[in-house]
């Protein structure tokens, strides 16, 4: 996907008239037309092509999405797994959010804290709203991890629940949300 912006985006824009930028996730191209009419034609053509490609992709994947999105039954299966009736971070009941890359379910409050960390650390999705995120592969990964109880044995292996330290270098478990 990309977008088109009028102007070069530089302070020297008056020296480079009739510029437009094509901005994609990986790069930005600044192009200059010979006149206002030509710039408008180019911008309209690029925007039209982007819309056409997005519409074609959406209709081509509609059938795939229907087959690949998790069903309510599969999502319910995740909720019934060991420990998934409580937030993996703070223990709040009935979590309805998940960190896809960590394999845990969490409450809305903790999901906000995880979003604050950024997607490089925690990819947060809703169990109810982000239906397309729940592909069979993601569901299988969550099932394979065994729920919040098993995931916390990994992610919080050195932490103790009662606030006392083990003989090793264990730290006190502090919910992530209390740090924000």
């Amino acid at each position: 996907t990309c977008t088109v912006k009028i102007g070069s985006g530089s302070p020297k824009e008056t020296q480079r008239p009739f510029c437009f930028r094509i901005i994609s996730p990986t790069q930005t191209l600044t192009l200059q037309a010979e006149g206002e009419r030509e710039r408008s034609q180019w911008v309209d053509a690029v925007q039209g092509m982007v819309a056409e490609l997005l519409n074609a992709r959406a209709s081509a994947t509609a059938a795939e999405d229907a087959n690949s999105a998790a069903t309510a039954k599969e999502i319910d299966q995740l909720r019934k797994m060991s420990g998934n009736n409580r937030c993996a971070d703070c223990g709040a009941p009935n979590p309805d959010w998940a960190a896809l890359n960590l394999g845990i379910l969490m409450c809305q409050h903790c999901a906000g804290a995880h979003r604050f960390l950024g997607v490089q650390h925690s990819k947060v999705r809703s169990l109810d709203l982000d239906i397309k995120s729940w592909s069979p592969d993601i569901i299988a990964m969550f099932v394979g991890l065994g729920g919040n109880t098993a995931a916390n044995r990994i992610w919080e292996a050195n932490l103790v629940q009662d606030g006392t330290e083990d003989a090793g270098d264990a730290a006190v478990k502090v919910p992530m949300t209390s740090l924000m």
Side-chain angles (χ1 to χ4, degrees):
T1 61
C2 69
T3 186
V4 180
K5 302 255 183 183
I6 302 293
S8 66
S10 71
K12 296 181 180 181
E13 194 166 312
T14 55
Q15 295 175 352
R16 299 173 72 191
F18 315 118
C19 286
F20 62 99
R21 292 177 290 155
I22 301 174
I23 303 168
S24 78
T26 57
Q27 66 181 347
T28 299
L29 299 173
T30 301
L31 304 170
Q32 185 174 15
E34 289 186 15
E36 180 63 41
R37 184 171 175 237
E38 185 179 78
R39 177 175 69 178
S40 293
Q41 288 174 334
W42 272 105
V43 168
D44 291 344
V46 172
Q47 288 174 335
M49 186 55 65
V50 168
E52 185 178 322
L53 290 171
L54 286 174
N55 289 336
R57 174 75 179 137
S59 61
T61 60
E64 292 173 20
D65 288 346
N67 293 333
S68 66
T71 64
K73 183 179 176 182
E74 292 170 318
I75 296 293
D76 201 39
Q77 175 188 4
L78 291 181
R79 287 187 165 116
K80 291 178 181 176
M81 293 179 64
S82 176
N84 284 0
N85 61 331
R86 298 243 169 233
C87 173
D89 282 352
C90 72
N94 304 316
D96 54 357
W97 290 82
L100 296 183
N101 58 322
L102 301 176
I104 60 171
L105 298 189
M106 66 188 112
C107 68
Q108 184 176 5
H109 183 74
C110 291
H114 276 253
R115 281 192 191 263
F116 181 76
L117 295 173
V119 295
Q120 68 273 22
H121 299 293
S122 187
K123 294 174 179 32
V124 177
R125 298 292 182 270
S126 169
L127 289 173
D128 301 318
L129 303 174
D130 298 319
I131 299 299
K132 292 181 181 179
S133 296
W134 294 99
S135 68
D137 293 341
I138 298 289
I139 296 284
M141 181 203 64
F142 268 73
V143 169
L145 288 173
N148 284 353
T149 302
N152 278 344
R153 275 192 228 119
I154 298 166
W155 297 116
E156 298 179 348
N158 294 327
L159 301 179
V160 290
Q161 294 291 332
D162 64 2
T164 61
E165 291 198 34
D166 282 342
D169 291 334
V172 176
K173 179 177 181 177
V174 178
M176 182 170 301
T177 55
S178 67
L179 300 175
M180 300 292 167

